[in-house]
Amino acid sequence: MCGIWALFGSDESMSVQCTCAMKIAHRGPDAFRFENVNGFTNCWFGFHRLAIVDQLYGMQPLRIKKFPYMWLCYNGEIYNHQTLRKQFEFDCQTKMDGEILLHLYDRFGIKKMASLLDGVFAFILLDTANRKVHVGRDTYGVRPLFKLLTDDGFLALCSEAKGLIDITHGMGTPASIVPFPPGHFEVFDLKPSGKVQSIQMEQFHCCRQQPSHAIYDTVEKLPIKFVSLGLDEELVKSNIRNLFENAVRKRLMAHRRIGCLLSGGLDSSLVAATLVKLAKEEKLPYPIQTFAIGSDDSPDIVAARKVATHIGSEHHEVTFTVEEGIEVVKDVIFHLESYDITTIRASVGMYLISKYIRQKTDSVVIFSGEGSDELTQGYIYFHKAPTPKAAAEDSIRLMEELYMFDVLRADRTTAAHGYLELRVPFLDHRFTAYYLSLPEEMRVPRDGVEKHLLRESFKGLDLIPDEILWRRKEAFSDGLTSVKKSWYTYLQEHLESMVNDDDMEEAYKRFPHNPPRTKEAYYYRQEFEKHYPDRAQWLSHYWMPRWIDAIDPSARTLSIYKPEKDQ
């Protein structure tokens, strides 16, 4: 987890502009560098570092003797960097995983470079010899990146939008600030003035494609066996297990202590259990810490405790009061840069537990279960999908929108406190591509249970308790409190008095894009606009269940929701 920032072609005072880079200082508390590009007085890089790999030589912008004309700023982890070094016999000067980008770019160009990266990343690569600026972001947008570009060619880039909103420029009209699209790279011509012109924007990978780096992976090509009625389901389950374990294993790459968020749901439990298993195999010199959060009567707390006992992790439970949760809502909205209802609700718990991890433990690399619900059709509204084809299409839509919702939440809430770096094995390129390649009928809920195929794949292994393996979907923001009274209900009751009826009547006029329909939504939008006025387009739509009459994103409000008996 780092913070990257760059300007190309600024006409304004750099002493003023550079203060904007400090607005993302929380992303990298270990070190900071602000550097001018040689020969380009109005081109600058800013970097906030959280040291995870190669603590000695890891400062950026990265420059090496072999390529003195290249400047690289990136935020991310490249899990196959050692494999690629050996495969192409690169002579690397540091142990930094990001150095591999320079060698790949030099040999293959920007498109193949990006497609060969197995990891999560946002990068800015400047090639002064060819006067090109290259920008790219990983497939699911796990690592954030925003772009500001004016009509006259001034380009600014930053990990979070808050580092761009006060950037000054000479244009009379406001500059657009947009999220850089996941799975894409963009190439700019760099003019002598330092300003740029976009010449290429292209997608290098999408969730349905087998990644180009798969041929160099440690897991060989997966066997496919057909029986009379289609694919051999037992072989499919074996492939799912192998790919998932491989996804967790490759993410053990770190020089800092590893921990795991554990809600007691299926996804985080599979991640935690596999992580503990592999940590023992790799002989890590410490026990894996797991972390759960909720109120005193939270079903998540109870379920996570059962899992932690089963897998033998060093478990931490964080309890919070409703008042403590409500108190941080404003801070959460500031860090999220979003006003989406369910994202904010779920972010409160993740924000508070990240704060605890930062202050009370020495775990820095944090595993989590994001991406599974989107990939494996885990939301309970999938029970109402009209056809397997419709369910499959919506799964892909959710995967493509992760950067606006769940991975945005996961990134911002952990980065807010510094010293934490998130890893999400369910979004491994090979794992997602394989799962999405399976027949549509195989991936839908079955026997009244969502994520049936995933659950069946780990059945009978005693990896996690059976009651957890078959525990029904409970949204993270819902499981924080008991079924008797949900977290969202507490929020709505508190915010009812914060917004009056007259405000609601004018909501469609004041906020024509995504107008709020409830007082809770109005309050979130109002707080968002205080920090990011006129930037509502960053969110194209609210997250909401499909194929069912829903006016609230919480699963507990849906007619098909059935709580566990012990909740």
Side-chain angles (χ1 to χ4, degrees):
M1 190 76 68
C2 298
I4 59 176
W5 184 89
L7 299 184
F8 298 94
S10 174
D11 295 325
E12 305 296 319
S13 168
M14 291 311 299
S15 62
V16 174
Q17 303 282 49
C18 70
T19 60
C20 296
M22 301 311 295
K23 292 186 177 182
I24 60 164
H26 53 275
R27 296 191 67 88
D30 286 334
F32 170 68
R33 177 179 288 174
F34 192 64
E35 191 167 347
N36 173 234
V37 178
N38 299 340
F40 296 89
T41 56
N42 52 3
C43 297
W44 296 79
F45 284 99
F47 180 66
H48 296 275
R49 187 184 186 208
L50 174 60
I52 301 294
V53 177
D54 196 348
Q55 296 176 323
L56 181 62
Y57 295 105
M59 273 305 288
Q60 298 181 39
L62 175 63
R63 304 181 68 202
I64 59 176
K65 291 180 180 179
K66 187 173 183 179
F67 308 119
Y69 49 89
M70 290 190 201
W71 301 62
L72 173 67
C73 247
Y74 80 101
N75 168 29
E77 294 76 43
I78 311 303
Y79 303 122
N80 65 340
H81 71 108
Q82 292 182 336
T83 300
L84 294 174
R85 289 182 187 207
K86 294 175 184 177
Q87 176 66 35
F88 299 114
E89 299 180 339
F90 290 140
D91 180 20
C92 293
Q93 295 179 211
T94 75
K95 296 179 181 178
M96 284 183 67
D97 53 316
E99 185 183 337
I100 200 70
L101 274 73
L102 301 177
H103 295 274
L104 290 171
Y105 169 74
D106 174 69
R107 186 171 299 186
F108 300 117
I110 189 64
K111 183 174 183 178
K112 188 169 182 179
M113 179 209 87
S115 65
L116 286 176
L117 300 177
D118 182 5
V120 294
F121 52 84
F123 67 80
I124 307 164
L125 196 164
L126 170 62
D127 178 351
T128 57
N130 294 293
R131 291 186 174 276
K132 295 285 189 294
V133 179
H134 305 84
V135 182
R137 190 179 181 190
D138 67 76
T139 304
Y140 299 110
V142 175
R143 291 294 175 261
L145 188 64
F146 282 81
K147 176 180 74 172
L148 179 155
L149 182 63
T150 64
D151 292 340
D152 67 344
F154 167 46
L155 173 67
L157 300 148
C158 189
S159 295
E160 298 181 18
K162 56 182 64 68
L164 299 178
I165 55 173
D166 291 328
I167 291 285
T168 56
H169 55 87
M171 299 296 293
T173 56
S176 66
I177 299 174
V178 296
F180 194 87
H184 287 70
F185 69 87
E186 187 168 11
V187 183
F188 298 87
D189 268 335
L190 182 64
K191 301 175 182 179
S193 64
K195 287 186 166 51
V196 303
Q197 180 177 1
S198 178
I199 59 172
Q200 184 182 7
M201 169 73 90
E202 191 172 334
Q203 186 174 38
F204 62 85
H205 184 239
C206 74
C207 58
R208 290 162 288 181
Q209 292 175 330
Q210 176 80 325
S212 299
H213 57 71
I215 58 174
Y216 308 119
D217 202 349
T218 52
V219 174
E220 298 178 358
K221 186 176 177 64
L222 296 172
I224 299 176
K225 181 180 178 183
F226 290 90
V227 293
S228 58
L229 297 178
L231 282 176
D232 182 341
E233 192 161 324
E234 290 306 313
L235 184 57
V236 167
K237 295 175 193 175
S238 175
N239 288 341
I240 288 173
R241 290 193 299 272
N242 289 336
L243 284 174
F244 182 70
E245 185 168 304
N246 183 52
V248 176
R249 188 187 302 277
K250 71 178 69 169
R251 284 164 175 76
L252 294 175
M253 178 187 84
H255 294 159
R256 307 288 282 269
R257 185 169 184 170
I258 295 172
C260 187
L261 300 181
L262 179 58
S263 70
L266 173 67
D267 309 325
S268 65
S269 297
L270 287 176
V271 172
T274 305
L275 177 58
V276 169
K277 172 178 174 284
L278 295 180
K280 292 175 181 176
E281 292 179 9
E282 299 292 328
K283 294 181 170 58
L284 293 189
Y286 51 80
I288 295 296
Q289 295 178 326
T290 51
F291 306 94
I293 187 169
S295 61
D296 289 332
D297 53 356
S298 159
D300 279 2
I301 286 280
V302 175
R305 189 181 303 149
K306 292 176 182 176
V307 176
T309 300
H310 186 87
I311 66 178
S313 62
E314 181 187 304
H315 192 54
H316 297 246
E317 293 181 358
V318 182
T319 57
F320 77 101
T321 65
V322 170
E323 291 73 23
E324 288 172 328
I326 289 171
E327 188 177 333
V328 301
V329 167
K330 289 184 178 181
D331 289 340
V332 164
I333 294 171
F334 170 73
H335 282 287
L336 286 179
E337 302 173 337
S338 175
Y339 53 92
D340 180 63
I341 302 163
T342 193
T343 302
I344 293 169
R345 291 175 182 173
S347 293
V348 169
M350 204 162 183
Y351 179 87
L352 290 172
I353 201 169
S354 297
K355 182 179 181 180
Y356 171 89
I357 297 170
R358 165 72 177 89
Q359 295 179 346
K360 305 291 185 180
T361 80
D362 59 347
S363 285
V364 175
V365 176
I366 306 298
F367 280 63
S368 190
E370 272 71 29
S372 176
D373 286 322
E374 290 78 7
L375 174 66
T376 65
Q377 302 182 20
Y379 296 113
I380 66 171
Y381 75 77
F382 275 97
H383 289 282
K384 289 292 186 179
T387 63
K389 179 177 176 60
E393 289 173 350
D394 201 57
S395 176
I396 290 172
R397 176 188 69 84
L398 291 171
M399 298 289 284
E400 292 173 345
E401 293 177 354
L402 272 166
Y403 76 100
M404 288 192 294
F405 301 109
D406 277 22
V407 298
L408 180 148
R409 164 180 52 79
D411 174 85
R412 301 300 202 285
T413 54
T414 50
H417 304 290
Y419 282 111
L420 298 182
E421 185 246 284
L422 200 77
R423 298 197 175 171
V424 284
F426 273 110
L427 292 178
D428 181 78
H429 296 160
R430 288 200 68 190
F431 183 74
T432 56
Y434 178 76
Y435 205 97
L436 292 173
S437 73
L438 297 172
E440 295 166 351
E441 295 77 10
M442 191 177 282
R443 290 181 273 144
V444 297
R446 194 184 305 175
D447 301 328
V449 180
E450 64 281 347
K451 294 190 272 197
H452 192 276
L453 176 59
L454 180 65
R455 298 176 197 271
E456 279 283 336
S457 298
F458 290 91
K459 180 182 176 181
L461 303 180
D462 197 36
L463 186 66
I464 60 176
D466 275 353
E467 63 183 296
I468 303 299
L469 183 64
W470 296 100
R471 185 187 178 202
R472 291 215 52 186
K473 168 66 183 171
E474 184 79 89
F476 179 52
S477 60
D478 288 338
L480 288 171
T481 56
S482 73
V483 172
K484 297 173 185 176
K485 192 168 184 179
S486 297
W487 167 233
Y488 77 88
T489 305
Y490 286 110
L491 280 169
Q492 289 173 343
E493 288 178 355
H494 175 76
L495 298 176
E496 178 71 22
S497 62
M498 308 288 282
V499 178
N500 62 49
D501 293 339
D502 291 340
D503 290 333
M504 289 305 301
E505 288 182 8
E506 297 295 318
Y508 281 80
K509 295 180 181 177
R510 184 179 179 189
F511 305 120
H513 178 76
N514 288 336
R517 298 172 60 186
T518 66
K519 290 186 177 181
E520 180 193 12
Y522 190 101
Y523 177 83
Y524 296 157
R525 181 63 170 275
Q526 190 172 246
E527 287 300 316
F528 171 86
E529 293 286 343
K530 288 179 183 177
H531 300 291
Y532 312 107
D534 302 319
R535 303 295 180 182
Q537 283 75 15
W538 292 344
L539 181 68
S540 61
H541 60 278
Y542 290 110
W543 194 101
M544 200 67 70
R546 301 191 70 186
W547 307 307
I548 193 168
D549 186 19
I551 59 172
D552 189 281
S554 170
R556 289 184 179 177
T557 66
L558 303 182
S559 59
I560 56 174
Y561 175 75
K562 296 177 182 178
E564 302 284 355
K565 292 180 180 179
D566 61 351
Q567 293 178 16

